[in-house]
Amino acid sequence: MASVKMQTARSTLTDPVAAAEDLLRQLHGPPPKLVTLFASRQRDQRALNRAVRERLPKDTRLVGATTAGELDNNGIHTNSVVLGALSGDFEVGLGLGSGLTGDAIAAGAQAIKRACEELGVRQQDLDARRYVGLVIDDGFRYKKEELLLGILEKNQTLVLVGGGASDSEPDPSRQSALIHVDGEVAGDGVLVALFKTNAPWAALRSHWYVPTGQRLTITKVDETHTRALEIDGQPAAKRYAEILGVTPDELEFGKPKGFAVRPTALKVGREYFIRAAWRPLEDGSILFANLLEEGSELDLMKAGDLAGMTRDFFAEELPRRVQNPQAALLFHCSGRMWYANATGVVPQLSEALKLAPSAAGMNVQFEIYSGFHINTTLTVLAFGSN
């Protein structure tokens, strides 16, 4: 029999030492093999890391990130610290890749190489049935697709799930993010936590959109491959607005009739990976959060019941995919949080988290799922017992 379990703790204390004492006091049972630390960006991250690290057993590994909100089974919180303590039948190797801005592919390759070295396995020998990678990056570097190329360069079968370290600061010029890897706290980097286990596990994702049957084609992009210049052979913002029946200045993701309600998705097999447009620009183009390719077709989606579909995910899909679920690490898109606030369903969304197995997570700056950079999605790494 193999199992992975998790205890969680949360503290609102602001003093790093007091917060660490509070968090560790809430834990009981066997010493954890891995601790996740999801902390509001407002906290002194290095002091918090040091205080928690000093109070953990020497052999316990520590990973974490700054957040735009913290999650556990009691809901979605702000200005707090949520700790997850994982124990059971697994080994974990950690790798930190630095210099995302300069060379994100190399940073991703560095992170997975180090994680594999800790487990004594070659990247090309990773068995996708027994290994799974948790990835947390500095979300404000916008380098997910490049770093994923580096992580998967020597083994495309490895399953990855995670999201971007974030910040609740609304001013883009002041946003920053930090990642925790044992005693190190760093920005402009990417963490890979590589799990090896015989326990049941799954990488999952949940969004609240349904397909409409409509498609659009990205017919022209700029040199950065992040701006759609033309859609269906027409100016991008004009064409998207025409499809939605709104004006171009109503498209921006934060507006009630725009991209958040009718996003685009990449269809992969039977699944739809949300890769929503972000904002229209003054030159008539549209900025996307992910890279674009000329000639690519995207499906148009429409919003469903956010809280209801999240409840169904935890109550039905997760238990169907993971035998006896015991632990869930949650990476919740800040775009979902915006939509929940705008539509007044934050209490219902928080209530849905009670249906999850023991859970710890954060609001992130875009998500990673099965090697894809996606958005407006909840990605989850869940473990169970057989």
Side-chain angles (χ1 to χ4, degrees):
M1 176 176 173
S3 67
V4 176
K5 298 182 178 181
M6 183 168 68
Q7 297 182 70
T8 67
R10 184 171 70 92
S11 180
T12 58
L13 299 179
T14 56
D15 177 76
V17 171
E21 293 279 1
D22 187 24
L23 291 166
L24 274 296
R25 192 182 302 117
Q26 297 174 49
L27 300 182
H28 306 281
K33 290 184 177 180
L34 176 71
V35 162
T36 62
L37 188 67
F38 301 120
S40 165
R41 184 66 183 92
Q42 298 171 339
R43 303 305 178 95
D44 182 335
Q45 301 296 314
R46 288 177 175 81
L48 179 63
N49 178 286
R50 185 167 54 251
V52 172
R53 178 70 271 175
E54 288 173 351
R55 286 159 176 78
L56 290 174
K58 182 179 178 181
D59 294 335
T60 298
R61 309 303 301 275
L62 174 64
V63 299
T66 58
T67 80
E70 305 78 49
L71 282 68
D72 62 14
N73 295 103
N74 292 316
I76 303 171
H77 316 284
T78 58
N79 196 21
S80 69
V81 183
V82 167
L83 182 149
L86 290 143
S87 60
D89 302 299
F90 71 92
E91 299 174 53
V92 65
L94 305 183
L96 176 64
S98 58
L100 273 184
T101 302
D103 190 340
I105 294 176
Q110 181 185 47
I112 187 64
K113 181 175 183 291
R114 290 176 173 175
C116 286
E117 287 173 347
E118 288 201 354
L119 291 178
V121 61
R122 299 191 308 165
Q123 296 171 55
Q124 52 267 44
D125 294 335
L126 294 173
D127 182 345
R129 295 167 298 183
R130 299 182 64 202
Y131 292 87
V132 59
L134 174 68
V135 181
I136 302 177
D137 66 303
D138 180 339
F140 297 113
R141 306 295 170 163
Y142 304 104
K143 293 290 186 178
K144 283 185 176 58
E145 282 163 312
E146 295 98 317
L147 69 87
L148 287 170
L149 289 173
I151 294 174
L152 296 171
E153 181 180 11
K154 295 184 178 180
N155 191 327
Q156 288 76 44
T157 66
L158 179 64
V159 176
L160 303 173
V161 64
S166 192
D167 187 351
S168 56
E169 168 59 54
D171 182 354
S173 68
R174 299 174 61 186
Q175 291 170 335
S176 64
L178 294 170
I179 299 166
H180 296 247
V181 184
D182 281 332
E184 188 171 358
V185 179
D188 197 23
V190 54
L191 155 73
V192 173
L194 184 63
F195 291 86
K196 177 185 178 182
T197 184
N198 288 318
W201 63 268
L204 306 103
R205 64 98 183 91
S206 174
H207 58 72
W208 74 101
Y209 296 107
V210 293
T212 65
Q214 290 179 279
R215 284 188 167 188
L216 54 80
T217 302
I218 306 296
T219 47
K220 188 176 181 181
V221 301
D222 76 332
E223 64 278 2
T224 70
H225 288 261
T226 59
R227 289 192 300 125
L229 304 179
E230 292 183 1
I231 291 175
D232 298 336
Q234 301 178 41
K238 176 178 177 294
R239 175 57 178 155
Y240 209 123
E242 180 183 77
I243 295 171
L244 269 58
V246 299
T247 61
D249 61 4
E250 295 178 277
L251 287 174
E252 188 160 353
F253 191 89
K255 297 188 176 179
K257 297 180 181 179
F259 298 136
V261 179
R262 295 286 302 280
T264 48
L266 178 67
K267 188 177 183 183
V268 181
R270 296 181 179 180
E271 294 196 68
Y272 293 89
F273 294 171
I274 305 300
R275 292 160 69 89
W278 193 352
R279 62 174 179 263
L281 302 178
E282 291 183 0
D283 63 1
S285 65
I286 296 175
L287 179 65
F288 279 69
N290 52 272
L291 298 179
L292 299 168
E293 185 177 351
E294 287 186 1
S296 59
E297 286 190 331
L298 298 174
D299 282 76
L300 271 169
M301 311 291 281
K302 65 179 180 181
D305 178 358
L306 172 56
M309 294 172 83
T310 305
R311 283 195 304 271
D312 292 344
F313 169 75
F314 285 124
E316 299 173 14
E317 182 177 354
L318 194 153
R320 186 169 62 246
R321 296 278 302 278
V322 182
Q323 184 180 356
N324 301 318
Q326 306 286 319
L329 295 170
L330 311 180
F331 302 90
H332 186 249
C333 183
S334 295
R336 285 172 59 94
M337 202 63 222
W338 169 85
Y339 189 88
N341 276 305
T343 55
V345 299
V346 173
Q348 296 93 318
L349 186 59
S350 291
E351 190 73 14
L353 296 178
K354 293 181 179 179
L355 299 174
S358 184
M362 62 175 180
N363 289 335
V364 298
Q365 183 74 359
F366 304 116
E367 304 81 65
I368 288 169
Y369 176 76
S370 292
F372 287 90
H373 168 197
I374 55 178
N375 51 31
T376 61
T377 301
L378 167 67
T379 61
V380 178
L381 178 56
F383 295 97
S385 170
N386 60 10

